[in-house]
Amino acid sequence: MLPTPVPDASATHQVRGACPHDCPDTCALLTTVENGRAVRVQGNPAHAQTGGVLCAKVSKYAERTHHAERILTPLKRTGPKGSGQFTPVSWDEALGDIAARLAHIAARDPQAIQPYSYAGTMGLVQGESMDRRFFHRLGASLLARTICATAGGEGLVHTLGAKVGMKVEFFAEAQLILIWGSNSIGSNLHFWRIAQQAKRDGARLVCIDPRKSETAEKCHEHLQLRPGTDAALALALMHELIVHDWLDHDYLARHTLGWEPLRERALQWPPERAAEVCGLPVEQIRRLAHDYGTTRPAAIRLNYGVQRTHGGANAVRAIASLPALTGAWRHRAGGVLLSSSGSFPVDRAALQRPDLLAGRSPRTINMVTIGDDLLRDASPSFGPKIEALVVYNSNPVAVAPDSRQVVRGFAREDLFTVVLEHFQTDTADYADYILPATTQLEHWDVHLAYGHTDVLLNRPAIAPQGQARSNAQIFRDLAARMGFTEPCFADSDEALCRQAYGDRVDFDLLLEQGFAPLSVPDAPFADGGFPTPSGQCEFYSQRLADQGLDPLPGYVPNHEGAGTSADYPLAMISPPARNFLNSTFVNLQSLRDIEGRPLLEIHPEDAAARGIADGALVRVFNDRGSYACHAALNGRARPGVVNGLGVWWRKLGHNGTNVNELTSQALTDLGAGPTFYDCRVQVEPLAS
Ligand SMILES: Nc1nc2c(c(=O)[nH]1)N[C@H]1C(S)=C(S)[C@@H](COP(=O)(O)OP(=O)(O)OC[C@H]3O[C@@H](n4cnc5c(=O)[nH]c(N)nc54)[C@H](O)[C@@H]3O)O[C@H]1N2
Ligand SMILES: Nc1nc2c(c(=O)[nH]1)N[C@H]1C(S)=C(S)[C@@H](COP(=O)(O)OP(=O)(O)OC[C@H]3O[C@@H](n4cnc5c(=O)[nH]c(N)nc54)[C@H](O)[C@@H]3O)O[C@H]1N2
Ligand code: SF4
Ligand SMILES: [Mo]
């Protein structure tokens, strides 16, 4: 058992922790505590990946934790759903009533109970341990946690074999870096620091992004392609590598599967064809191919922005194939990195205990389609109607696509909804009970990362605020109320921290310094050895062929492609605003002041054609809904594409809407992921 944190009430001291947010950087934190209060949160200089630096958002974490609007007691709804009217109740009353309601539903069919969670915290304890045990034991419906990364994840798994790739630190030694579908300055700041070092050492940086992001404007070159056309670009790069023979024939022969058919396909993609599809100058594609084919070492920082359209997984397959054509993997500063999360030896069975299902196999609901699914009646194919929803680590009313449907679902009077939260979010407004959860400064946790390969430990720096309890504690309490007596429901948060990696990670080292590097080879595929079924980099995937899918990476056009609708001629993407983290931090005045107001970036030509001036209030709309925000003619949008920066709280935006009024529940080619950036709209001025 770990030493219990007893913050010395009088003294000033520092506590080592980990940033809990859904961000590739997973920074090591140092929290300064004075008189039991967190007064400052800083980056731990001892942790190389963090380098003592945090982003602007988490630098405000003390402000967030001690925010006047923190939920500090259980709350019970008193007004109509969505009205946000609640009254404080005791834990005893809240837990007793919730357990009784869940037990009543479970007696008929536990699958009518739906957990809904994502990565509000990425902690393994507060995100995927006692909660899963609870729902497994109950036999509740399972949740496909698809809202972010499954398309790209599947793309990687079907090419490289797992969510693995280059070690991020070696990008510093690359001579060419493609920053592909990533606004690193906004969402992967610590990678950007490494890229800057490479730049100082002479590397060329190329950004591939439909938006002229903060990152794009600081790279040597920006390919401002249409959203969802990356696979076409990657295939054209392959075309040029082939016709100019910038290939590593030895690497192709020894470490790849399906080169012949891929070669044939790529030869159908001359740069002229891709230029047409991507909306890029053909010369720019030729030059990129030349640079990629002739520069050593060449590295690709691919990120999830590339996989939020219909063909997202195929785009990732195509891009992840490139380093095997040139043999870039031979060098530790060559290859591709989308995610490193597959490197972490997490013992998920120990944490989540799927054995508690005891032979039952409940249905799985896709979190992307929660809008439609909440409105579905019982049927043989769907199963029971969803009668209860338990939401934690997520704010679906703000972040899930097609909000109008999501709101209709959450507004159902016959739906019993429990929300574990720090704040009264858009989702919490629809709860029957809101339960106060601890923040990262108040609980134990242990972390993996998806942008580096160090395990981090989070110690609580301060006591739980008000009556807040950790997620794990809340599910432990609910389990007790439901009469679940298995010993695993007694495991403490500290015990769960240890179970996450068992003896695969040195826990004493974690206790001592707060982080522990995994031992991962510097150049993981220098000599092949991909974790695919064939051990090769699989251009051709037999597993995909067996499912009747295209076994080769291909260009899959957007659901809402160019010319599909005269009424909605503009493509819209909705990448994150830099000072918010998805919908987290939107309620922090200091950060909201930096972002100003909800924006739609639009190209001056598209604005002029509609009589829209910079700063004007506009209505953005399609058949799904209508969103009011301000036009920004700031040079970041390309013609034909508008950027609706996300993800504002609906109640803090204009007319109680946000950009997800417009996005659809359509899914990606693989991984059943969302297609937030595959969306067509029209824009018109709105009289204020
Ligand atoms: N500040 C901040 N940081 C964050 C987040 C945040 O909300 N705010 N969110 C976190 C989370 S959950 C995630 S998943 C990551 C997301 O971070 P990333 O993985 O980087 O993904 P996005 O921010 O969605 O998009 C990155 C870039 O891709 C561009 N893009 C959009 N469509 C396309 C396309 O079709 N092709 C190409 N090539 N580019 C495209 C966008 O314009 C954007 O500049 O960041 C994490 N970090
Ligand atoms: N239009 C559009 N929509 C998007 C995106 C986009 O780019 N454009 N990005 C998508 C992506 S990539 C993602 S990952 C999703 C993210 O969507 P979500 O996972 O819902 O992320 P957040 O909006 O950050 O909400 C997380 C919530 O968890 C709460 N929370 C944090 N820690 C804890 C804790 O310890 N306990 C409890 N109980 N609660 C906690 C926070 O207060 C916050 O309200 O959004 C998606 N939605
Ligand atoms: S950069 Fe990412 S990991 Fe680091 S503090 Fe900010 S949100 Fe957390
Ligand atoms: Mo995400």
Side-chain angles (χ1 to χ4, degrees), residues 21 63 73 95-96 119 259 270 275 321 349 389 448 450 457 484 498 564 573 675:
H21 287 298
E63 186 186 327
T73 64
L95 291 170
W259 171 234
S321 295
L389 197 57
L448 50 66
Y450 61 98
L457 181 73
F484 299 166
R498 286 184 187 265
T564 49
I573 58 172
T675 54

Side-chain angles (χ1 to χ4, degrees), residues 22 118 147-149 304 308 450 582:
D22 190 350
Y118 200 62
I147 200 140
C148 173
Y304 286 112
R308 308 199 199 289
Y450 61 98
N582 303 317

Side-chain angles (χ1 to χ4, degrees), residues 396-408 426 430 560 568 572 574 619-629 644-651 653-665 676 679-681:
V397 170
V399 306
D402 199 358
S403 316
R404 207 157 63 173
Q405 291 296 90
V406 179
V407 167
R408 280 181 57 205
D426 290 329
Y430 288 88
E560 306 194 356
Y568 305 121
M572 186 189 76
S574 47
R619 187 171 89 94
V620 195
F621 60 100
N622 58 23
D623 289 337
R624 289 178 289 270
S626 167
Y627 167 48
C629 61
L645 300 189
V647 178
W648 281 74
W649 283 20
R650 291 163 61 83
K651 58 184 165 189
H654 292 280
N655 306 343
T657 58
N658 76 12
V659 73
N660 280 321
E661 286 284 305
L662 305 165
T663 53
S664 88
Q665 297 179 62
F676 289 113
C679 175
R680 302 211 52 107
V681 299

Side-chain angles (χ1 to χ4, degrees), residues 437-467:
T438 45
T439 70
Q440 189 78 344
L441 301 190
E442 301 152 55
H443 56 225
W444 283 101
D445 218 327
V446 66
H447 288 254
L448 50 66
Y450 61 98
H452 61 69
T453 47
D454 298 342
V455 173
L456 272 80
L457 181 73
N458 184 73
R459 288 170 183 267
I462 56 173
Q465 299 296 287
Q467 297 180 34

